[in-house]
Amino acid sequence: MKPEKMSIDELLKCSRWFEPQMEAKLIQFDRLRELEQCVLDMGCLECSEETDIAQDKVLEKLGEMSEHLFDSMRELLDIWIHLTEMIDHLEDPKQRTVMTLRYLLDEDWNTVSDCMGCSDAEVHELHEKAFAKLKENRKK
């Protein structure tokens, strides 16, 4: 999904699972590369013409899978960049800090409060104002 078409709620939810999703995709990408190398190594055994055709089909399919995986990684990164830019455009530095700690650095509310030297209530109030401002800025 294009980040420009996502609601603020959807963008913020995506930020919570960005890192595990990206890590999983990188692992998948590495496994595809290993499989590709295994198939290439098997081709060095000088088998039949039929085996060469099968190997080409497997390599082609692995290439398609890698492209699809790369596209999904790019989509995740686009969402992350879009959210980062939106948070960076918040005028109030405290609001920016709350949103950065909570959504970009994935900190829990207690850690956000501790880092900012604010009460939980103050942090939640800053969050609500920042959330409203992000929605307002989105409509412009």
Side-chain angles (χ1 to χ4, degrees):
M1 179 179 269
K2 299 275 186 204
E4 299 81 19
K5 299 197 186 256
M6 296 172 74
S7 71
I8 298 300
D9 289 325
E10 291 171 321
L11 284 168
L12 294 176
K13 284 178 187 172
C14 284
S15 74
R16 307 291 292 166
W17 50 260
F18 172 81
E19 191 173 334
Q21 284 284 325
M22 191 59 88
E23 284 178 21
K25 289 179 186 305
L26 287 170
I27 290 168
Q28 291 172 342
F29 195 76
D30 286 343
R31 288 186 180 149
L32 283 173
R33 290 291 167 222
E34 289 171 8
L35 280 171
E36 191 175 78
Q37 190 57 52
C38 286
V39 171
L40 287 169
D41 290 345
M42 288 171 50
C44 296
L45 299 176
E46 295 293 327
C47 296
S48 70
E49 194 173 312
E50 289 175 1
T51 308
D52 288 342
I53 292 170
Q55 179 190 26
D56 289 344
K57 286 184 179 182
V58 170
L59 288 172
E60 183 179 329
K61 185 64 177 172
L62 288 173
E64 289 170 8
M65 291 169 71
S66 293
E67 280 183 42
H68 177 72
L69 190 55
F70 186 73
D71 288 345
S72 67
M73 290 168 70
R74 185 180 304 130
E75 189 175 292
L76 267 177
L77 194 55
D78 287 346
I79 291 169
W80 183 260
I81 290 168
H82 188 78
L83 180 59
T84 302
E85 289 171 350
M86 289 179 67
I87 290 172
D88 285 346
H89 282 91
L90 288 170
E91 292 176 15
D92 185 318
K94 287 184 177 183
Q95 290 176 5
R96 260 195 323 269
T97 302
V98 166
M99 299 307 271
T100 298
L101 288 170
R102 182 70 179 138
Y103 295 103
L104 301 180
L105 300 178
D106 197 28
E107 298 294 349
D108 61 42
W109 290 112
N110 290 332
T111 304
V112 174
S113 296
D114 291 345
C115 286
M116 295 189 67
C118 298
S119 69
D120 289 346
E122 290 171 310
V123 166
H124 286 286
E125 184 179 332
L126 285 166
H127 177 268
E128 289 302 316
K129 287 180 180 177
F131 186 78
K133 192 66 175 173
L134 287 173
K135 280 187 167 182
E136 179 186 317
N137 291 348
R138 187 65 181 254
K139 291 178 183 176
K140 293 180 181 179

